[in-house]
Amino acid sequence: MTLTHVRVMLEYFHPWTNAAGLYAASHHGWYRDAGLDVELTVFDPLRGDTLEHLARGEAHLGVFPTNRLLVRSAAGQPLHGVASINHRGMETIQTVAGRGITRPRDLAGKRLALNPTPRGVAMVRHLIAADGGDPDAVELVDSGYRELSVDDIAVGTVDATFGGYWAWDALFAQLPGSERIVWPVDEIGAPPYHSYLLGVGPALTDPSLLATFLEVTARGYRAATDDPIGTLDVLDRVIPYFPRTILARSLDLIAPTWWHGDRWGDIRPELMTPYTGWLAANAILPPAFDWRQAIHPAALSLVEEVPR
């Protein structure tokens, strides 16, 4: 059987547990059984993120943040979401005990580190204002791509951080849990949103290939959820230098975010609409932008069919 090569680019600098379903499907040979030679890879950050690689036709599918897709779609780039990966936001605000920060509004007068993208700055300001605080009173510290951790906070580098994921980055801290404060953004006032979507660029044009890939990938995410021990064995081959205890905890935390009820991949209006509105209200998207233009017709046709 002749296999069709499909290059899938992940969303981060290295694989992590969010890609477990893709690796499970590959490990079990399900892509190959379906006639697909799937290559899972990560982007070259010196040549751009996953969406830039997709736009140049250097990958067939990719995983990326929802907001970045919407911004590029609004700019006219031929990129489209085909399935959701996560049904929750992943980011956090983190701090440590003893700094006088017990809720977001207490960040007034404090140093908060983040990668100051327009969306990141808008989110921090929103979360502080949502708690009745003054976002103008927070000192934002540019930490670039290297996100600071609670261990950096503990030694006095800053007072708090924004961006680290509650299902990944936050798990690596050496500081005891009793001394740490971790607030997932969707628990302190963020609009609901899909943290990551799976999508395509101009290199993938075969609708039957896409349908096959999505069917097998859903099977992979089901296996990654139902068989965590077997999935950890797969991840040990993919990211062997991360402690297995952290991989196990991360997998346990993140697996529920892959599902809406018992369904994988739904792109949900009740998440897309408020998030798009929030991005537009913060001048990150044009005021009249419709998120549906960023969704592949095959996925869009399912939107109204999905039970709420």
Side-chain angles (χ1 to χ4, degrees):
M1 178 174 62
T2 301
L3 302 178
T4 301
H5 178 250
V6 179
R7 192 166 195 243
V8 183
M9 189 164 284
L10 306 180
E11 73 271 31
Y12 199 49
F13 298 100
H14 55 73
W16 63 297
T17 50
N18 208 29
L22 295 158
Y23 282 106
S26 181
H27 169 76
H28 288 293
W30 296 333
Y31 290 125
R32 183 169 293 272
D33 292 344
L36 304 179
D37 174 22
V38 171
E39 173 193 359
L40 300 174
T41 185
V42 296
F43 59 82
D44 176 353
L46 299 183
R47 300 184 67 250
D49 64 6
T50 294
L51 284 162
E52 290 181 68
H53 286 73
L54 277 175
R56 291 193 297 262
E58 296 168 355
H60 299 94
L61 294 106
V63 181
F64 40 73
T66 299
N67 58 287
R68 294 188 190 179
L69 170 68
L70 298 179
V71 168
R72 289 179 177 274
S73 178
Q77 295 191 11
L79 300 161
H80 295 92
V82 297
S84 65
I85 299 292
N86 309 103
H87 293 271
R88 284 191 61 184
M90 292 289 163
E91 295 150 311
T92 61
I93 287 179
Q94 298 185 65
T95 186
V96 300
R99 297 294 175 90
I101 304 172
T102 61
R103 53 190 302 169
R105 70 187 184 196
D106 295 335
L107 290 165
K110 305 294 186 179
R111 298 164 299 161
L112 185 143
L114 77 165
N115 183 6
T117 63
R119 183 260 185 193
V121 171
M123 183 63 75
V124 165
R125 293 180 60 84
H126 171 88
L127 295 172
I128 293 167
D131 192 42
D134 179 6
D136 291 328
V138 181
E139 180 184 345
L140 300 181
V141 177
D142 184 349
S143 60
Y145 291 102
R146 182 176 293 278
E147 295 176 348
L148 301 185
S149 71
V150 292
D151 297 324
D152 295 304
I153 300 172
V155 299
T157 305
V158 291
D159 300 302
T161 65
F162 166 79
Y165 289 179
W166 49 264
W168 185 248
D169 312 72
L171 306 180
F172 290 89
Q174 300 298 308
L175 196 69
S178 60
E179 300 178 33
R180 298 164 54 197
I181 299 171
V182 181
W183 296 317
V185 295
D186 62 358
E187 296 179 3
I188 55 171
Y193 62 97
H194 294 292
S195 189
Y196 287 104
L197 298 176
L198 175 71
V200 298
L204 197 159
T205 58
D206 184 342
S208 63
L209 187 153
L210 177 59
T212 298
F213 178 85
L214 292 177
E215 180 180 353
V216 177
T217 300
R219 184 182 179 191
Y221 274 95
R222 184 75 269 165
T225 303
D226 293 345
D227 181 19
I229 300 302
T231 301
L232 289 172
D233 290 340
V234 176
L235 292 176
D236 278 343
R237 295 187 59 189
V238 177
I239 41 176
Y241 297 107
F242 290 101
R244 191 177 175 106
T245 53
I246 289 180
L247 293 179
R249 179 57 178 154
S250 177
L251 185 61
D252 181 61
L253 288 171
I254 203 166
T257 76
W258 298 330
W259 302 96
H260 178 222
D262 62 353
R263 296 173 62 93
W264 179 86
D266 291 346
I267 296 176
R268 298 161 54 197
E270 64 267 34
L271 275 64
M272 296 296 295
T273 299
Y275 192 41
T276 301
W278 181 86
L279 291 167
N282 284 277
I284 296 165
L285 286 174
F289 180 77
D290 185 347
W291 60 267
R292 292 169 180 81
Q293 80 174 53
I295 306 303
H296 191 278
L300 197 58
S301 67
L302 299 175
V303 166
E304 298 304 326
E305 300 175 13
V306 175
R308 301 290 172 243

